[in-house]
Amino acid sequence: MAQIDAAGEKRVLYLVDKSGFGGVQTIAYTLMRHGVDERIGMDFFFLRNINDRFGMEDIRGPNVFYSRATHRYSLRPFVEILRFIREKNVSILHLNGNKSIILGLVIKKLFHPTIKIIAHEHGGVFDYSRWYAAFLKSFRNSFDLFITISNYRKHFLVERCLVAPSAIRVIDNFVDPARLATASASACGHTDRCGSGGDKPFVIGYVGGLSRIKGCDVLVRALPPLRERLGNFRVMIAGDGPARAELEELVAALGLGDIVSFLGFVDPPGIAYAQFDMMVIPSRSEEGPICLYEAWMMGLPVVASNAPVLNERIRDGETGILFQSDEPCDLAEKIYSVYRNPDVAAHIRAGGSCEAARHTVERYRGDLRDVYLSL
C-alpha cells in the first residue's frame, strides 16, 4: 500500500507534460475542481506552461503548480519535482504524457524506489512508435499500474510492450457538464434541422486541436463536393494548433473563405457547440476524445472517421456515423446522408445522449479513487 501522510491522506502528484488545452488538460482541470476523495490529497504540476500561446489564464490554487522552465528540454522540472516530493511527502506519481512518464520512471529508479508510479496512456503522436514501445517493454515492471482509455491501447501494451493485463486498467474519459454550462441540448443551434433546409445555414462544427493527426484538412477537402449538394451551410472550426496556418491557406486555395470560420480557442466550448447542427471528428487517430462525449451531451449528430479508437467508441449507425479515414469524398457523402435523413440524425442523437449519460465525472472520480486506494 502507498504511504499515507500525517493528515491521514494519500498524497498524489498529478504530472502533466504541458498546460494549454487538450484531453489530458481537461481531465486535470476537472479533477482540480472536484477532487477524487477526501482520503486522497492531490497536487497538479505542469512540466511546461504554454497557456499564454492561447490567451489562457493560469489556474490559481494551493495545489496547482507550473514549472518555471522556459524551454521544452529544460531539466528544471526534474529538480522542482524532487523537491516537491520531499516537501509534500508524495506517495503516488500519476504520470500523464511521454515526458512525465519518463521523468517519473527516472525518479523512482534513482531517487525514490518505494514511490508508486502510474503511467496514464492517453495516446500521443508517437506513442505507437518503435522506440516508445521498446522503452515501455524494457521498463514495464517498474510501473505499478498502467491506465489506458481504450481497449485498442491496452492491446498495444499487452502485445507490443509485454505488459501484464493485470497491470492495466481501462478507464474511459468523461464529459464534464461544467464545460458546457453556457449551453444546453435544448439551446443547441438547430439540432433538429437535418433535412429541413430553411433560410438559416446548416452549421457543421469541429472542436479540438489543429494538427495533422486531427484531420481537419480532410474536413476542408470534403467541402467542395459537399457544396455542390448541400447548398446553404457553414463550417465552424473551434481550436488552435500548429496546423492552423496551413488549414487557413487550404481554405483560401479552395475558395471556401465564405463558408469556413476559424474560431480559435473557445472557452468554455459550450459556446461553440451551441452554434452547431452537426459535429465532425475527422481524426486520423484518436484515443478517447472528450469532444465526442461533449457532442453527445449537446445532442449533436456525430460523423467521425473509422480510425482507432473512434471505431471502438462509436457504434456505426447507432451513436454516430463512421466514414473511411482520410477519405474526403466519403466524409462528404456521410455528412450529406445524415443531413438528408432526419430520422437517422434523430436516432444517432438519441444513442449519443445515452452514451453521454454513462461517461460521467462521478464515474471517473470513483474509478480513480479505487486505483489510488489500491496502491
Side-chain angles (χ1 to χ4, degrees), residues 96-137:
N96 299 268
N98 303 125
K99 186 174 180 180
S100 295
I101 288 172
I102 294 171
L103 198 61
L105 177 67
V106 172
I107 287 171
K108 177 163 185 170
K109 283 285 190 181
L110 299 182
F111 298 94
H112 294 279
T114 62
I115 203 167
K116 305 294 184 181
I117 58 174
I118 300 170
H120 200 144
E121 294 281 315
H122 297 274
V125 175
F126 47 77
D127 275 4
Y128 294 95
S129 65
R130 185 176 300 174
W131 79 263
Y132 190 68
F135 163 75
L136 291 182
K137 182 178 178 181

Side-chain angles (χ1 to χ4, degrees), residues 13-17 45 47 81 93-97 100 103-104:
L13 181 55
Y14 196 95
L15 293 185
V16 184
D17 280 6
F45 190 98
L47 303 185
I81 291 167
L93 289 178
H94 189 147
L95 313 169
N96 299 268
S100 295
L103 198 61

Side-chain angles (χ1 to χ4, degrees), residues 194-269:
C194 286
S196 66
D199 296 331
K200 293 183 178 179
F202 185 79
V203 180
I204 299 166
Y206 168 86
V207 174
L210 301 183
S211 61
R212 185 184 182 280
I213 201 168
K214 294 295 185 179
C216 262
D217 60 302
V218 180
L219 171 59
V220 172
R221 294 182 190 281
L223 300 183
L226 194 60
R227 194 172 201 173
E228 298 175 3
R229 306 173 70 183
L230 198 56
N232 189 19
F233 76 101
R234 298 291 184 271
V235 176
M236 292 184 176
I237 298 174
D240 211 335
R244 177 166 177 172
E246 183 179 337
L247 288 168
E248 290 175 334
E249 291 174 3
L250 180 60
V251 166
L254 295 176
L256 301 170
D258 58 326
I259 63 171
V260 178
S261 300
F262 288 89
L263 307 182
F265 173 68
V266 179
D267 184 33

Side-chain angles (χ1 to χ4, degrees), residues 272-292:
Y273 290 114
Q275 302 177 69
F276 299 168
D277 298 305
M278 175 186 293
M279 176 75 170
V280 172
I281 307 176
S283 304
R284 293 179 168 91
S285 179
E286 276 288 357
E287 286 296 330
I290 290 175
C291 65
L292 171 62

Side-chain angles (χ1 to χ4, degrees), residues 46-336:
F46 295 93
L47 303 185
R48 190 159 55 103
N49 188 359
I50 59 171
N51 283 338
D52 58 334
R53 293 188 188 178
F54 311 106
M56 298 174 63
E57 294 184 2
D58 292 351
I59 295 176
R60 304 298 180 183
N63 65 335
V64 182
F65 304 88
Y66 298 88
S67 172
R68 292 194 229 171
T70 56
H71 59 87
R72 178 180 299 182
Y73 301 107
S74 172
L75 293 177
R76 184 164 190 163
F78 183 78
V79 177
E80 293 169 334
I81 291 167
L82 285 175
R83 183 173 63 248
F84 198 100
I85 291 172
R86 183 180 66 254
E87 293 176 353
K88 293 277 190 172
N89 196 28
V90 172
S91 53
I92 299 173
L93 289 178
H94 189 147
L95 313 169
N96 299 268
N98 303 125
K99 186 174 180 180
S100 295
I101 288 172
I102 294 171
L103 198 61
L105 177 67
V106 172
I107 287 171
K108 177 163 185 170
K109 283 285 190 181
L110 299 182
F111 298 94
H112 294 279
T114 62
I115 203 167
K116 305 294 184 181
I117 58 174
I118 300 170
H120 200 144
E121 294 281 315
H122 297 274
V125 175
F126 47 77
D127 275 4
Y128 294 95
S129 65
R130 185 176 300 174
W131 79 263
Y132 190 68
F135 163 75
L136 291 182
K137 182 178 178 181
S138 298
F139 296 103
R140 63 190 184 278
N141 294 326
S142 298
F143 294 94
D144 296 278
L145 188 71
F146 289 84
I147 295 177
T148 74
I149 53 181
S150 69
N151 287 313
Y152 180 81
R153 185 67 176 180
K154 179 178 180 179
H155 180 78
F156 163 78
L157 291 176
V158 172
E159 296 299 320
R160 289 186 54 190
C161 307
L162 303 185
V163 177
S166 60
I168 304 171
R169 279 287 304 273
V170 179
I171 302 179
D172 292 350
N173 283 342
F174 57 86
V175 56
D176 181 5
R179 279 170 46 87
L180 309 175
T182 59
S184 66
S186 61
C188 197
H190 318 95
T191 54
D192 57 349
R193 288 190 56 245
C194 286
S196 66
D199 296 331
K200 293 183 178 179
F202 185 79
V203 180
I204 299 166
Y206 168 86
V207 174
L210 301 183
S211 61
R212 185 184 182 280
I213 201 168
K214 294 295 185 179
C216 262
D217 60 302
V218 180
L219 171 59
V220 172
R221 294 182 190 281
L223 300 183
L226 194 60
R227 194 172 201 173
E228 298 175 3
R229 306 173 70 183
L230 198 56
N232 189 19
F233 76 101
R234 298 291 184 271
V235 176
M236 292 184 176
I237 298 174
D240 211 335
R244 177 166 177 172
E246 183 179 337
L247 288 168
E248 290 175 334
E249 291 174 3
L250 180 60
V251 166
L254 295 176
L256 301 170
D258 58 326
I259 63 171
V260 178
S261 300
F262 288 89
L263 307 182
F265 173 68
V266 179
D267 184 33
I271 296 171
Y273 290 114
Q275 302 177 69
F276 299 168
D277 298 305
M278 175 186 293
M279 176 75 170
V280 172
I281 307 176
S283 304
R284 293 179 168 91
S285 179
E286 276 288 357
E287 286 296 330
I290 290 175
C291 65
L292 171 62
Y293 306 140
E294 292 178 335
W296 280 338
M297 177 166 278
M298 291 299 294
L300 291 168
V302 174
V303 177
S305 79
N306 65 354
V309 160
L310 291 167
N311 57 6
E312 179 182 324
R313 290 284 173 263
I314 296 172
R315 300 193 308 277
D316 193 20
E318 297 294 326
T319 60
I321 298 296
L322 298 176
F323 74 92
Q324 184 62 41
S325 178
D326 224 350
E327 292 290 342
C329 290
D330 192 42
L331 172 56
E333 182 63 36
K334 295 301 170 55
I335 291 174
Y336 184 72

